Amino acid sequence: MTGRNTLVQVATIPFQRTDGVIRYLLITSRKGNWILPKGTVERGDTPVNTAVRETREEAGITGTLVEPPIGRYRDSKRGVSIEVSVYLMEYEEEVAWAERSFRERRWLSYEQARSKLRRDSVRGILDEAHRRLSRE
């Protein structure tokens, strides 16, 4: 927690390149909306460790985190302010998936991923990620 009633969370934008095409991994929330893997940074943990762990648990993949965060956005839930830092994560492999029973995951083109994300702020961060990755 930072400040009064501010929760610190981290999210990842997992990506992979196949034959020159960049694809992005989205997962479903418990309500069925398409989102990025995300979790709360607990006391004594680091944002990087949290991002890697949450992506493994929620999406069933591992990868290399690209630092620093590509963007940040604010959210709120039940009266609590949330500050979310978003990292790029280059896909390495699929692993045991703790939340497989209630989440879907899907590799999507940039356009498909952008159309499934509901929040403008998150779409804006995906836009920046795609601009950067397309230049590499």
Side-chain angles (χ1 to χ4, degrees):
M1 303 274 275
T2 66
R4 195 166 186 204
N5 289 337
T6 300
L7 195 61
V8 176
Q9 293 190 329
V10 291
T12 62
I13 298 176
F15 72 95
Q16 66 176 326
R17 283 189 175 92
T18 307
D19 299 324
V21 177
I22 304 166
R23 294 189 312 152
Y24 300 93
L25 184 73
L26 298 184
I27 61 170
T28 54
S29 68
R30 293 174 191 263
K31 294 179 182 177
N33 298 317
W34 289 98
I35 61 170
L36 302 174
K38 178 180 75 161
T40 301
V41 180
E42 301 295 337
R43 187 180 305 277
D45 205 353
T46 66
V48 167
N49 286 346
T50 300
V52 170
R53 182 184 65 251
E54 291 294 332
T55 303
R56 177 184 207 104
E57 290 174 2
E58 293 187 351
I61 67 162
T62 62
T64 302
L65 216 60
V66 179
E67 292 186 73
I70 193 156
R72 290 182 173 76
Y73 68 94
R74 293 194 167 278
D75 198 357
S76 65
K77 192 173 192 176
R78 294 190 278 278
V80 176
S81 177
I82 303 169
E83 184 175 298
V84 184
S85 295
V86 182
Y87 292 86
L88 282 170
M89 177 184 271
E90 187 164 11
Y91 170 79
E92 288 175 2
E93 66 179 351
E94 290 186 12
V95 293
W97 185 13
E99 299 184 9
R100 171 181 220 117
S101 63
F102 57 89
R103 291 193 195 274
E104 286 183 59
R105 69 177 173 205
R106 196 171 297 162
W107 287 102
L108 303 164
S109 70
Y110 162 68
E111 292 81 8
Q112 291 168 325
R114 192 175 197 290
S115 72
K116 289 192 178 296
L117 292 169
R118 294 172 56 180
R119 297 179 57 92
D120 288 340
S121 54
V122 178
R123 281 196 304 267
I125 295 170
L126 177 66
D127 293 344
E128 176 59 21
H130 191 66
R131 273 191 296 275
R132 284 192 199 178
L133 292 171
S134 295
R135 287 192 303 247
E136 292 179 2

